[in-house]
Amino acid sequence: MDGGDGSTLTERFRRAGLRVTGPRQVILRVLEESDDHPDVEELHRRVSAVDPRVNIATVYRTVKKLVEHDLIERHSFDAGRARYEAAPTEHHDHFIDVDTGEVFEFRSDEIERMQQELARAHGFEIVSHRLDVYVRRVNRRKRKARKAD
Amino acid sequence: MDGGDGSTLTERFRRAGLRVTGPRQVILRVLEESDDHPDVEELHRRVSAVDPRVNIATVYRTVKKLVEHDLIERHSFDAGRARYEAAPTEHHDHFIDVDTGEVFEFRSDEIERMQQELARAHGFEIVSHRLDVYVRRVNRRKRKARKAD
DNA sequence: CCCTACTTGCGAATCATTCGCAATAGCGCA
DNA sequence: TGCGCTATTGCGAATGATTCGCAAGTAGGG
């Protein structure tokens, strides 16, 4: 997941001028190793498995800093807790299965292009965008809703 | 904003089997007359101008019911408070001006169609979706950020 | 290796939203 | 038109997520 040169989350974090402390190293590594979209509580759980002394407030503070520096993305698929994902090298959107809570990523250059055109036509330049598509599987017997990602 | 027959928010509310009480009449009228995307606090402010006895908890309870019955839409553009808009007759997406907080609606049948295709290709059917495009005006001298909608 | 500004842990505080409960009031029906 | 059953309301307390204040600890430039 890291290029080998200087592209680990930790290195980019340091390059952004932020101090790399013990707790932060653990949090950064956990984020980098996660390929799902954990919320802060889940991140804290994973971090605690490595170093149980890290406080959840530190996790909150760290993800906040990471988002400010565009190193990770914050999502609010459902209301309630926010969820995060390691900064994708390439932008993508999300399918959220409403029955299971699972999140799938996808990307459509055509949709990106359309947005670009529309924004320009309205006199705007795009800063960022978010496309969440809530879906359900087809051709399946209805099934019990599970909990989350 | 109402067809004249039986299409006011209040009537659709009643038709959904919900009791039309005094407080609710005010809330429904306020929602119908709003063409922006107010949060609960703002709604309560507007409702209070008509009847100051209505409690904010009632506003919360009412918008919740309305959302459950698809009579209004809930948005969470920024984290923090949720914002609502009277149920649009036609789906649309949003441009959010990151400098001013203003929200503009737009619609693109092409984007809708692309989503449909993508979802189908992945074996999903779309339940709903949300496309928020955060933008900034172009060709303008930078200006101070204002507060909200 | 030292100094200083940045971080941390911890518990308290804050924000948005929901709940519990007793009092009140729609509205279908007699 | 009046009754009763049940949904709804106001209010304050409770909740859940996130942030803050502060004293103690530490990264890392010089």
Side-chain angles (χ1 to χ4, degrees), chain A residues 44-52:
Chain A
H44 182 235
R45 208 171 294 127
R46 297 180 191 178
V47 166
S48 295
V50 180
D51 183 346

Side-chain angles (χ1 to χ4, degrees), chain B residues 14 18-20 41 57 60-61 64 80-82:
Chain B
R14 190 193 304 278
L18 301 164
R19 287 190 188 175
V20 177
E41 211 159 335
Y60 270 107
R61 283 187 282 235
K64 191 179 208 187
R81 23 181 151 322

Side-chain angles (χ1 to χ4, degrees), chain A:
Chain A
M1 193 151 250
D2 83 79
D5 36 36
S7 60
T8 60
L9 232 202
T10 304
E11 290 176 276
R12 283 186 287 158
F13 189 82
R14 190 193 304 277
R15 229 178 295 134
L18 300 164
R19 287 191 186 172
V20 177
T21 65
R24 284 176 173 183
Q25 285 187 52
V26 181
I27 296 168
L28 292 167
R29 192 151 69 73
V30 165
L31 274 167
E32 209 153 37
E33 289 171 357
S34 301
D35 61 343
D36 49 353
H37 303 72
D39 57 32
V40 171
E41 211 158 336
E42 175 59 26
L43 283 174
H44 182 235
R45 208 171 294 127
R46 297 180 191 178
V47 166
S48 295
V50 180
D51 183 346
R53 295 167 304 175
V54 179
N55 192 281
I56 194 168
T58 297
V59 180
Y60 271 107
R61 285 188 281 235
T62 303
V63 293
K64 191 180 210 187
K65 276 237 149 67
L66 285 163
V67 170
E68 284 167 359
H69 290 263
D70 290 310
L71 296 175
I72 64 172
E73 272 181 18
R74 174 203 218 107
H75 298 288
S76 37
F77 298 129
D78 36 70
R81 26 180 149 322
R83 295 168 64 176
Y84 301 82
E85 74 176 304
T89 45
E90 186 185 47
H91 166 81
H92 58 245
D93 299 310
H94 300 86
F95 280 130
I96 301 97
D97 186 317
V98 298
D99 291 321
T100 67
E102 285 171 294
V103 175
F104 304 91
E105 304 174 352
F106 73 92
R107 170 182 179 76
S108 163
D109 292 311
E110 297 193 65
I111 289 181
E112 303 288 314
R113 188 160 39 65
M114 303 256 57
Q115 286 176 35
Q116 203 61 54
E117 276 175 35
L118 283 164
R120 193 174 307 126
H122 286 258
F124 294 124
E125 62 178 11
I126 296 179
V127 174
S128 67
H129 73 267
R130 163 178 55 226
L131 171 56
D132 297 332
V133 183
Y134 294 83
V135 301
R136 197 188 303 277
R137 297 213 110 88
V138 293
N139 297 325
R140 287 242 187 158
R141 209 60 59 232
K142 191 153 280 168
R143 54 154 120 161
K144 276 274 169 45
R146 260 202 301 132
K147 202 51 190 298
D149 206 7

Side-chain angles (χ1 to χ4, degrees), chain B residues 42-85:
Chain B
E42 174 59 26
L43 282 174
H44 182 236
R45 209 171 293 127
R46 297 179 191 178
V47 165
S48 295
V50 180
D51 184 345
R53 295 167 304 176
V54 179
N55 193 281
I56 195 169
T58 298
V59 179
Y60 270 107
R61 283 187 282 235
T62 304
V63 293
K64 191 179 208 187
K65 277 238 150 66
L66 284 162
V67 169
E68 284 169 358
H69 290 263
D70 290 309
L71 296 174
I72 66 173
E73 273 182 17
R74 177 204 216 105
H75 298 290
S76 36
F77 298 129
D78 34 69
R81 23 181 151 322
R83 295 169 65 174
Y84 300 82
E85 76 176 302

